[in-house]
Structure formats: structure tokens, C-alpha cells
Amino acid sequence: MKTRNAVWALLCAVVPTVARGQESQGCDYHDPVWSTIFYEGRTGENRDIYAVDLETLVVRRVTTDPANDFRPAPSPDGKWLAFQSNRSGTYQLYRVPIDGGDVEALTAGDFHNAAPKWSPDGREIVFYSVPSEDGGDLYRMDIETRETTRLTTHAALDYAPSWSPDGTAIAFVSLRTGENRIFLTGPEAAAPVLLVDGCGP
């Protein structure tokens, strides 16, 4: 069941991020009630985050900044939207009230931090961090304390993390075999296990 949950979580990472106020962010096994889709919209070279209500089809702009804002991720309680932006010069993680408001930085520094995903209980996010050279590893952050824990340590790039629905595992993509492969680790930095092989480059 844990393996199935982790694969499902990874699949949910590649479909639109939806469902304001849904505890599971639309990734339950039962049919979710999807009410809002968050997406990145481009105007010229600028990208901002938008939301569309699936009942009324009304579109509203969530962020407005000359920098690029993208990869929106709504919190399970429907209160916050985490996203990635280069408004500081490097790609960092931010959050904003889901109905709009002041933007709050979650990370800072010279490394590029990307692809935030909320834990099912909404207390943490998992993301990957890329230094100026090749490679990149996974981290998780306690939203309240901002304490970060490194989950992977490898010369190759580990990226695209996604929580299992029960919060006990984190699936991610890695180039550590020379090709894109799906691995599984845990919130306490358990040794990664190859989960899916032969999925193509």
C-alpha cells in the first residue's frame, strides 16, 4: 500500500494542482470535488499565478510581479498557496494567502529552491535545492519554525518530490542511475529505494 500511495502521489504531481479547501489537494482515491485550478499564465516573458473557478469559470490573478511566479501548490487546509519565483534573483519558495495578499518568502540564498509540495497535514513542504553547479537534493521544511532537513545527498539531480497521501513516504525523480528514474525516501531521510525502473529518459 505504501508503494501504491507513493506512485499515486507522484502521478498527482503532474496533473493540475486543484481543489481549494480539499484536504488531499485532489489526490484521494475517491472522486474529489475539484472547485479551483491554479496555474501559471504567461504575458510576454512574465509568468504569474492565476486561479479559475470551475463552477463559474471566473479567472482571477493571484500574484502580480515582474519576476516569474510558477509551480503553484495549495495547502491542504486551503489557506495558502506555495510557489516558486525568481523575484529575488535566484529561484526561491514563497507563499501567499490563497485568496491573494502579501507574499511571504520561505527560502533565501544563492541556491535555487524549487517545486514545493505540502505534506498531507500541511505542516511541512518538501522541495529540491540546486546549487550553482550540477546536482540537487531534496529538503523538507517545517512551515512554522522554517527548520529544514536534508533528505537526499547525491551528486546527481534529485527533483520533483511528492508526498504519499499518508505522509510516510516521498517519491521523487533522480538521475543517479544516469536516466530519469523514480525513487522513494521518507521524511526522516531514509535511504532512497528505486521504485520504478525502465520509465524512459
Side-chain angles (χ1 to χ4, degrees):
M1 179 61 72
K2 288 184 179 180
T3 298
R4 181 189 179 196
N5 285 350
V7 172
W8 181 262
L10 190 68
L11 292 175
C12 288
V14 300
V15 301
T17 304
V18 297
R20 179 173 65 178
Q22 299 301 308
E23 293 183 357
S24 63
Q25 301 180 42
C27 292
D28 270 350
Y29 294 121
H30 62 77
D31 291 335
V33 179
W34 291 5
S35 61
T36 304
I37 292 178
F38 297 92
Y39 66 96
E40 56 194 62
R42 183 187 294 272
T43 304
E45 297 300 317
N46 176 249
R47 287 191 287 184
D48 280 301
I49 295 171
Y50 296 80
V52 56
D53 187 295
L54 295 184
E55 293 183 1
T56 64
L57 299 184
V58 172
V59 177
R60 62 182 175 87
R61 194 169 185 169
V62 180
T63 65
T64 304
D65 194 273
N68 289 316
D69 300 335
F70 56 107
R71 290 187 172 172
S75 62
D77 63 5
K79 295 180 179 180
W80 295 96
L81 193 72
F83 64 95
Q84 174 183 332
S85 176
N86 64 347
R87 57 182 63 197
S88 69
T90 57
Y91 282 106
Q92 301 298 331
L93 305 183
Y94 298 81
R95 71 173 182 174
V96 64
I98 212 158
D99 291 321
D102 293 335
V103 173
E104 178 183 355
L106 297 176
T107 63
D110 296 329
F111 286 14
H112 295 291
N113 296 303
K117 293 291 182 182
W118 294 87
S119 61
D121 62 9
R123 296 178 180 178
E124 297 179 305
I125 58 170
V126 65
F127 61 96
Y128 73 96
S129 185
V130 180
S132 56
E133 64 271 13
D134 293 337
D137 289 298
L138 305 186
Y139 291 78
R140 65 179 175 89
M141 172 189 288
D142 183 297
I143 291 296
E144 182 175 351
T145 67
R146 304 298 160 84
E147 180 180 354
T148 59
T149 301
R150 190 171 187 169
L151 300 179
T152 64
T153 304
H154 199 278
L157 175 63
D158 296 335
Y159 67 105
S162 188
W163 294 85
S164 63
D166 62 4
T168 62
I170 297 168
F172 65 97
V173 181
S174 179
L175 288 168
R176 58 183 64 200
T177 65
E179 297 179 315
N180 287 309
R181 294 293 182 261
I182 300 174
F183 286 78
L184 190 68
T185 186
E188 303 303 326
V193 175
L194 180 61
L195 185 64
V196 178
D197 196 4
C199 59

